[in-house]
Amino acid sequence: MIKTIIVDDEYNAREFLEQLLIRYFPDKFLVLAKCESADEALNAIENFNPELVFLDIQMPNKNGFELIKSLKTINFEVIFTTAHSEFGIDAVKASALDYLLKPIGYIDLLEAIKKYDGKQYKASQQDRLMLLIENIDFGSSEYHKIAFQTETGFEFVKVNSILYCEAESNYTKVVFLDGKKITLTKTLKLVEEILPKDIFKRIHRSYLVNINYVNRFNKTNDYFVELTNGESLPVSVRKKDDFINDIIKKK
């Protein structure tokens, strides 16, 4: 059985999640502790050495991120839970970690557990959680790191080293300033959701561009942008006006 701890400041949320685990995954999880605060959870983690922790993000006094930051070593998996879709979720996704929105449903819980069982994450949990802390603490979204899932594992890259992203069916090719290219096992739409929206703009159904590296916008015949590396990418008619407004604001 998987040694598990549930951390949530709301009593009903703790009980509900435990009942979901018991009902749908009998004999799979052993809930060792249900904690209502980060400090209580810290003691439980040290005492019980869990394999999996369901961790609420937003709690009074000390939130879930602060709990992670206070740990010296992390030898368990974490699935974050939150009732607020905007609260820290971009940072969680950027760090290749999993999360559940409350109220938690069976389907979402099943998917999260499948990921846990499949051990899809090649990078260590410690590395991914430290990346999460870096993404939260770092002041500028242009320079923090992000975790991208590839066919062979994970790539940890600085956001502002990305020149543009190109859709390739259900995959995405990421092109970097130094000419390096990697292929992600995500659609361009999903990649767009992960990257900071203040600097990455969709200019075409097939292209997402870092506007820090746009040298020129050409509208003489067909619309296209010229990037700092000399490449030209098409801009769709539907995206043209929004893109021009974004460029003006950025510059």
Side-chain angles (χ1 to χ4, degrees), residues 5-10 13-14 17 35-39 41 53-69 78-95 97-102 104 129 132-133 136:
I5 289 177
I6 297 173
V7 186
D8 199 304
D9 64 302
E10 296 180 2
R14 296 194 301 272
L17 178 53
C35 307
E36 65 177 356
S37 70
D39 289 334
V53 174
F54 289 93
L55 179 58
D56 188 17
I57 292 177
Q58 195 165 19
M59 296 183 290
N61 299 322
K62 184 185 291 184
N63 65 37
F65 298 144
E66 291 169 320
L67 168 61
I68 293 299
K69 197 171 182 179
V78 174
I79 297 176
F80 288 97
T81 64
T82 179
H84 307 275
S85 60
E86 75 283 0
F87 189 84
I89 291 305
D90 285 343
V92 172
K93 291 192 295 185
S95 307
L97 293 161
D98 207 2
Y99 68 94
L100 293 166
L101 284 178
K102 296 188 285 187
I104 297 170
L129 287 167
L132 169 65
I133 298 304
I136 292 170

Side-chain angles (χ1 to χ4, degrees), residues 13 58 82 90 113 115 124 145 157 182 197 204 231 251:
Q58 195 165 19
T82 179
D90 285 343
I113 291 172
K115 289 181 181 179
S124 75
K145 287 184 179 180
V157 302
I182 61 173
K197 295 174 177 55
H204 188 277
E231 283 191 70
K251 300 303 181 184

